[in-house]
Amino acid sequence: MNTPASSRHFVLAAGGTGGHLTPAFALAAELERRGHHVALITDERGAAIPGKPDFLPAHVLPAGRFGKNPLRWFAALKAVWDGRGMAKRLYENFQPSAVIGFGGYPALPALLGAQSMDIPTVVHEQNAVLGRVNRLMAGRVNAIALSYPDVDRLKAKYEVKTALVGNPVRPRVLALRDEPFPPFTDDGIFRVLVTGGSQGARVLSEIVPDGLSMLAPALRSRLQVTQQCRPEDLDAVRERYANHDIPAELATYFEDMAARLADTHLFIGRAGASTIGELTAVGRPAILVPLPIATDDHQAANTREVVKAGGARSIRQQAFTAKELAKQINAMAQRPETLANAAHAAWNCGRPNAASDLADLVESFGGADMMDVIRVGANNARAATQGIEAGQGAARERAE
């Protein structure tokens, strides 16, 4: 295939967790589909995470973590400085039109290196609270892409350069968006999917089986559970379901999570950004239990939009008991139309064009003529456009 004349280079920088890398992979796929060349900067964990597109080369940079112990800050600063230098050497050869950060400490040296070379920078925030690295860089980047209309810890003076694009999700999950909600009748199977992130969550293993056992008999008799568990919890959870006579498929990891989600009537789990993005992209009602130790309590913030819309219910972990879980499920699934309405409410919160809109945004830098207007929320459309025009002006000045 011939490379289009408009083909350019972009660098994506993301910390080594699935929450940062999943949207980076989705953007990489969209940019590659448009004929661009893309490279990834991450850490050793990120380079090993499954799902990286084959066309995407990964460059591992040192990235210092700034914890609470000041004695370790010098080593962290040195790692950031070394990573910045390595990033600059990469940019000298790769010549990116823009560098896009997705949060996490590995994004910091990549963004600093780009700014020292006057390369446009964009950050994408997956959560409803601006993360540490994105907060640090918010005043220096050309644009801030958001996943939610309301984001905590975002200073008002930076709203002029924000764009509401959503959180890109995996193509296999997004393909389910146009499929109908699985039939749920008064006498049909009631399929429940339970996950707690890549390693499962012990609280879900301890509470969910007992909570499901307390459901109204009409619901309990129709249950079919799929649950992801930590390896050390697997046998105990299996025994609990057996004691309650509830059919359950358990595993530490499901390869075909998209297929599981397709058949799901109700999701129970954490409220990470990728989880919320996928639930709203597909339209699946949920009972969410935000991780209490999440930085800045961002998982609780992630639930606000979908809960307000009626697509989910949120239970704080300290209130997450078997009795409370049963109460909430009985309320959501007491009638088929109640659960279907919640599914539709969740679907309405989805932003299925997130990868495309984010690609439009990053293409607007570096002399691109492809897109002058990006799709943003009505409340910040003008502000985002002003921010992009400022970035384009800076790029034109460099070209001249």
Side-chain angles (χ1 to χ4, degrees):
M1 184 179 73
N2 293 328
T3 302
S6 57
S7 175
R8 282 171 288 136
H9 294 182
F10 294 96
V11 171
L12 314 185
T17 66
H20 296 308
L21 284 164
T22 296
F25 292 163
L27 176 62
E30 177 63 20
L31 291 173
E32 197 269 345
R33 187 189 67 80
R34 298 184 184 197
H36 301 304
H37 301 282
V38 191
L40 173 71
I41 286 177
T42 186
D43 56 14
E44 292 182 356
R45 290 185 306 159
I49 281 183
K52 185 178 74 66
D54 292 337
F55 65 81
L56 184 64
H59 302 268
V60 175
L61 263 62
R65 296 183 63 86
F66 294 87
K68 295 181 180 180
N69 186 352
L71 297 177
R72 298 182 179 178
W73 290 355
F74 179 79
L77 285 169
K78 184 179 185 305
V80 170
W81 186 259
D82 291 344
R84 174 181 176 273
M86 292 174 65
K88 290 177 67 174
R89 289 192 290 275
L90 170 64
Y91 302 156
E92 288 173 356
N93 294 322
F94 196 64
Q95 297 185 341
S97 295
V99 174
I100 302 92
F102 287 84
Y105 286 107
L108 181 57
L111 292 168
L112 291 173
Q115 290 165 355
S116 72
M117 299 175 69
D118 290 329
I119 299 170
T121 52
V122 178
V123 293
H124 178 269
E125 179 55 60
Q126 299 89 54
N127 294 295
V129 180
L130 204 64
R132 290 175 179 173
V133 170
N134 286 349
R135 286 203 301 270
L136 183 63
M137 302 304 295
R140 304 180 61 178
V141 298
N142 298 80
I144 303 169
L146 304 177
S147 300
Y148 296 91
D150 297 312
V151 176
D152 296 342
R153 307 203 70 168
L154 173 65
K155 293 182 180 179
K157 64 182 179 180
Y158 299 144
E159 291 179 359
V160 69
K161 53 183 173 182
T162 63
L164 177 60
V165 300
N167 192 20
V169 301
R170 295 171 292 177
R172 290 182 63 186
V173 172
L174 189 59
L176 301 174
R177 182 167 175 83
D178 294 329
E179 299 294 325
F181 184 62
F184 180 64
T185 62
D186 288 324
D187 56 358
I189 295 175
F190 179 28
R191 294 186 176 88
V192 176
L193 175 64
V194 186
T195 75
S198 59
Q199 297 299 317
R202 173 162 289 175
V203 68
L204 298 175
S205 297
E206 293 174 346
I207 299 297
V208 173
D210 293 344
L212 294 177
S213 75
M214 296 180 183
L215 290 179
L219 281 177
R220 174 176 167 166
S221 63
R222 299 186 282 126
L223 275 171
Q224 175 61 59
V225 180
T226 300
Q227 183 162 348
Q228 180 191 43
C229 308
R230 301 194 310 176
E232 59 268 33
D233 296 335
L234 203 56
D235 290 339
V237 177
R238 183 174 289 115
E239 183 178 358
R240 278 184 170 152
Y241 279 118
N243 290 339
H244 294 313
D245 197 25
I246 295 175
E249 180 184 3
L250 310 177
T252 57
Y253 181 76
F254 291 107
E255 290 280 353
D256 56 344
M257 189 57 78
R260 309 281 173 167
L261 194 58
D263 294 333
T264 294
H265 296 115
L266 178 66
F267 172 88
I268 303 172
R270 293 300 195 190
S274 294
T275 296
I276 302 293
E278 293 189 349
L279 290 172
T280 56
V282 177
R284 292 296 181 269
I287 293 178
L288 302 168
V289 187
L291 180 68
I293 61 171
T295 304
D296 298 317
D297 202 21
H298 67 257
Q299 287 204 4
N302 290 348
T303 70
R304 290 185 307 221
E305 183 183 29
V306 67
V307 168
K308 183 178 179 180
R313 299 190 179 206
S314 180
I315 306 174
R316 286 288 192 169
Q317 184 161 311
Q318 60 267 32
F320 185 60
T321 63
K323 183 177 180 180
E324 180 63 21
L325 176 61
K327 174 185 173 182
Q328 297 297 337
I329 297 176
N330 281 327
M332 293 184 75
Q334 59 184 331
R335 293 188 302 273
E337 62 271 21
T338 305
L339 206 59
N341 289 340
H344 186 65
W347 190 90
N348 280 337
C349 292
R351 296 183 175 87
N353 298 321
S356 177
D357 289 350
L358 184 55
D360 290 344
L361 174 60
V362 303
E363 276 187 335
S364 69
F365 295 100
D369 295 324
M370 293 183 180
M371 188 83 175
D372 295 324
V373 179
I374 60 173
R375 303 179 188 90
V376 294
N379 62 337
N380 62 0
R382 193 178 118 199
T385 303
Q386 290 172 345
I388 292 165
E389 289 173 349
Q392 290 173 328
R396 284 194 292 270
E397 289 175 2
R398 285 194 301 276
E400 293 170 356

